Amino acid sequence: MDFQLDEDQQLFRGTVRAWVERECPKDVARQLESREYVYPEALWEALVKGGFVGLGVPPEYGGQGADLMTQVILQRELARSLAGLTWVWGISAFCARAVHAFGGEALRHEVLTGLAEGRSRLAMAVTEPGGGTDIFGAIRTTGTKVPGGWRIDGQKMWSTGAAAAQHLLLLVRTDPEPAKPSGAFSMFLVPSPSEGLTIRPIPKLGMRALASCEVFLDGVEVGDEHLLGEVGRGWHQMVMAIDAERVLLAALCCGIIDGVLEDAIAYAHEREAFGRPIGQFQAIQHHIADIAMWQRQAELVTWYAASLPQDDPRYGLEANMAKVVASEHAVNAADLGIQILGGMGYSLETDMQRYWRDARLFRIGPVTNEVTRNMIAEGLGLPRAR
Ligand SMILES: Cc1cc2nc3c(=O)[nH]c(=O)nc-3n(C[C@H](O)[C@H](O)[C@H](O)COP(=O)(O)OP(=O)(O)OC[C@H]3O[C@@H](n4cnc5c(N)ncnc54)[C@H](O)[C@@H]3O)c2cc1C
């Protein structure tokens, strides 16, 4: 049993950490995040130049074909400074998995090579105004067969990065009367811009530069090659494609905890009250010890899930556990971080509030922690929760 990163992984972590300090330290990340709806193009360009955006893309499409653990390291190191803005890369990375797994060769080549070269970004558009949890009940967007392709009509909600993406990954209803509810859906990749496609940012609490959007599809037509995989298999394909998402998200939360802990310790040394650094007060020490223990717990569950092959029967359960543990510890750590900084923790001029605002999302999306707990219980042999 070895709980350490190996030599290559440590080297990669050191390289990314030095890059983050140079290209997107916390003060830069804070400025970027505050610019509502202004996509951080310079950050994307820097990530492209750093050779990071194609990390998970297979080498035949110009990427590095790195394993999940290497992507976890990147995600965590970026999030230590960027927090939720790390999703600038993360979303494209896991949407690209769907294109690789289910797209035809020409589409794969266009999208994956485009991503590896930094020309093509992706966003996911599954959630609808009717809900994100009860997907089968909520999805009203339809795909209708037309000669040579499909016409898509409907509305999506909360599609993060959609306004700056070149392709949207959609789950739509293609069968109004399926034999089984899960057979109603198919997966499409819709180019953006497209005629009939309108995208509108939704004001939100965190990750403000990376807009989460309403997406209106009014008779959007795509060719047959934009159907990914098989008609009626969209739900199963989506579940498979986003398998890595929970682990990457847990890694992002680990990065947030790293950022919180180092800022909390620095402040505890600097700030004085009653003639001594606040780090001498036992209450502050306990807060910091709690954050450090949460950091270790989140790291271990995340690394463990990332170390399992994705076809291992334990993978799904472990990925779900990692998502819940890391997201809840990140929110709690940032909350205590604010407490340690006192009034400055509430100031937009420090990063604690940004960590808290960003981490808070990950108890909700991509799947809420209530529903993730249901899945964990089901994985332990309990009946499906109603
Ligand atoms: C900032 C942000 C970014 C997002 N980005 C994306 C994106 O890029 N692409 C995308 O497709 N979606 C995205 N989402 C949507 C996100 O995935 C959904 O918000 C999430 O799945 C929850 O759906 P909902 O908001 O409709 O809540 P609901 O499904 O309405 O749930 C409301 C409450 O009911 C609980 N609940 C519902 N069903 C059950 C049950 N069976 N058992 C126990 N509790 C239950 C939930 O846990 C929750 O507490 C984003 C959301 C936000 C806020």
Side-chain angles (χ1 to χ4, degrees):
M1 193 176 290
D2 188 354
F3 293 106
Q4 301 302 315
L5 297 178
D6 68 26
E7 214 173 297
D8 286 346
Q9 289 166 338
Q10 287 181 38
L11 200 66
F12 179 64
R13 181 172 65 179
T15 304
V16 181
R17 188 163 287 205
W19 182 90
V20 167
E21 286 308 310
R22 212 172 47 243
E23 301 288 340
C24 53
K26 290 175 187 174
D27 55 333
V28 171
R30 199 163 62 241
Q31 293 300 323
L32 285 179
E33 194 277 334
S34 68
R35 297 186 307 164
E36 224 161 296
Y37 314 145
V38 182
Y39 184 81
E41 201 68 57
L43 172 64
W44 174 262
E45 289 303 327
L47 286 164
V48 172
K49 241 171 108 188
F52 297 129
V53 297
L55 196 68
V57 173
E60 59 270 33
Y61 301 106
Q64 290 96 311
D67 61 14
L68 184 57
M69 191 64 200
T70 307
Q71 296 179 58
V72 157
I73 294 169
L74 175 63
Q75 185 90 344
R76 178 174 178 177
E77 288 305 320
L78 293 178
R80 190 182 130 251
S81 176
L82 290 171
L85 280 191
T86 306
W87 231 218
V88 160
W89 165 71
I91 290 181
S92 284
F94 67 74
C95 287
R97 284 170 54 84
V99 178
H100 183 243
F102 305 111
E105 188 46 41
L107 196 66
R108 279 180 180 194
H109 192 267
E110 179 196 337
V111 175
L112 299 179
T113 309
L115 173 58
E117 291 174 1
R119 290 180 284 105
S120 180
R121 291 185 287 251
L122 297 101
M124 176 167 291
V126 173
T127 306
E128 298 209 357
T133 306
D134 176 16
I135 292 289
F136 293 175
I139 291 191
R140 299 267 181 274
T141 300
T142 54
T144 313
K145 189 76 188 89
V146 294
W150 294 80
R151 198 188 69 233
I152 303 178
D153 292 278
Q155 185 186 344
K156 296 288 178 180
M157 277 286 282
W158 292 118
S159 179
T160 301
Q166 283 68 42
H167 292 95
L168 308 184
L169 183 66
L170 258 72
L171 196 62
V172 310
R173 194 174 282 276
T174 44
D175 185 347
E177 288 173 355
K180 277 178 27 187
S182 64
F185 307 102
S186 303
M187 191 191 254
F188 288 90
L189 195 71
V190 173
S192 179
S194 280
E195 209 174 321
L197 182 70
T198 314
I199 297 173
R200 194 166 68 199
I202 305 169
K204 61 177 177 173
L205 183 68
M207 301 160 56
R208 287 170 297 173
L210 184 60
S212 299
C213 305
E214 282 180 290
V215 176
F216 301 91
L217 300 119
D218 183 9
V220 174
E221 293 208 8
V222 294
D224 281 326
E225 69 281 10
H226 288 265
L227 166 75
L228 299 188
E230 293 171 41
V231 176
R233 294 284 303 160
W235 169 250
H236 300 282
Q237 293 172 191
M238 186 63 81
V239 169
M240 188 245 123
I242 63 171
D243 231 16
E245 185 190 38
R246 284 162 295 166
V247 176
L248 287 177
L249 193 142
L252 193 161
C253 291
C254 289
I256 288 181
I257 302 173
D258 296 341
V260 165
L261 184 60
E262 63 192 15
D263 286 5
I265 292 174
Y267 199 78
H269 282 303
E270 271 162 33
R271 178 71 169 178
E272 294 198 353
F274 299 95
R276 67 192 65 170
I278 60 166
Q280 279 186 18
F281 300 125
Q282 196 181 45
I284 298 291
Q285 292 185 356
H286 285 188
H287 288 343
I288 287 175
D290 282 343
I291 297 172
M293 290 188 283
W294 293 334
Q295 179 191 48
R296 181 69 70 241
Q297 290 166 20
E299 172 181 283
L300 289 175
V301 285
T302 303
W303 283 359
Y304 182 59
S307 73
L308 292 172
Q310 277 161 268
D311 56 2
D312 188 300
R314 292 166 298 173
Y315 175 80
L317 180 68
E318 298 299 331
N320 281 331
M321 288 191 190
K323 191 267 179 187
V324 172
V325 170
S327 63
E328 295 187 358
H329 284 345
V331 175
N332 293 338
D335 192 65
L336 267 193
I338 291 174
Q339 200 65 19
I340 292 165
L341 266 62
M344 286 315 288
Y346 206 69
S347 162
L348 295 183
E349 290 175 0
T350 64
D351 293 294
M352 284 303 180
Q353 47 78 33
R354 179 168 63 90
Y355 289 128
W356 185 88
R357 287 185 288 112
D358 287 7
R360 191 62 186 81
L361 167 64
F362 301 120
R363 283 177 53 196
I364 300 166
V367 180
T368 67
N369 282 5
E370 289 80 11
V371 172
T372 313
R373 280 186 165 84
N374 291 352
M375 294 192 279
I376 292 169
E378 201 182 325
L380 297 172
L382 291 169
R384 176 160 293 185
R386 296 271 158 223

